[in-house]
Amino acid sequence: MSVSDTAVAVAAVRPQSAPLVRDAVPADYPAIRRVIIAAYLQYADLIAPDVFSPYLADLLDLDTHARHGHLIVVEADGRIRGFGAFYPDASVQGLGWPPGWASGRALAVHPDARGHGVARALIAANERLARESGAPVFAFHTASFMTGAIALYERLGFRRVPEFDFDMAARYGGTGVAPITALAYLRQLAPTRAACA
């Protein structure tokens, strides 16, 4: 299962500025980390430092994401502009997802690339991988303060499932800080022919 299986065919017909989704390789890690930091730094003043620092460290832990998932990047104009980790078994994240569901994690789009289809490309790639793996559901969390992401997910038709929300402040060790809700979203998936075979 690989995002790159279709990248060559897509690259042959796409305009140069259109996003290219491909599998990440270890040589991409520095660029991925720069994208994650640029994407999430805007939230640093919205939550307590003793919550933000471990939260950001968790997002930047590419070795763990790669060990349990599948790393995906989006290139635009020859540069990595987006990143996401696909987890075929969402339960390994320890965020309350049932075994067998698939999930996306650490979705990040560089601020300079927003509004150019990078997030949509990442989400579509994650959903395709989820269908190919035979998962009945693709699910993920976003933070309550990420209003732009929330608006995108709702435009794309993802459904809120509050029973899977969790408190980010408690998870990341914040003491004496107000709760921060990680909002759960999902989409029921129809299996692909490959998953049924």
Side-chain angles (χ1 to χ4, degrees), residues 84-111:
F86 168 72
Y87 279 72
D89 180 2
S91 68
V92 302
Q93 296 177 51
L95 300 174
W97 298 123
W101 285 16
S103 181
R105 187 81 198 278
L107 179 79
V109 175
H110 194 283

Side-chain angles (χ1 to χ4, degrees), residues 59 64 80 97 142 195:
L59 297 172
T64 295
I80 293 175
W97 298 123
T142 192

Side-chain angles (χ1 to χ4, degrees), residues 34-36 38-39 79-83 108-114 118:
R34 286 191 297 274
V35 167
I36 292 171
R79 295 171 53 196
I80 293 175
R81 308 309 280 160
F83 166 75
V109 175
H110 194 283
D112 295 343
R114 291 186 182 145
V118 174

Side-chain angles (χ1 to χ4, degrees), residues 110-195:
H110 194 283
D112 295 343
R114 291 186 182 145
H116 298 282
V118 174
R120 286 176 185 259
L122 282 168
I123 293 165
N126 272 279
E127 283 192 66
R128 184 178 63 77
L129 290 170
R131 282 186 180 90
E132 289 174 358
S133 73
V137 171
F138 175 68
F140 56 88
H141 289 97
T142 192
S144 56
F145 50 80
M146 296 181 182
T147 55
I150 291 166
L152 173 65
Y153 302 142
E154 291 179 354
R155 277 194 312 273
L156 293 176
F158 285 93
R159 183 171 58 91
R160 278 278 292 122
V161 279
E163 62 270 30
F164 293 105
D165 290 355
F166 69 89
D167 178 10
M168 289 176 57
R171 175 173 175 83
Y172 293 106
T175 54
V177 297
I180 303 165
T181 305
L183 305 172
Y185 283 86
L186 65 73
R187 186 186 319 274
Q188 298 287 336
L189 301 174
T192 63
R193 287 185 189 153

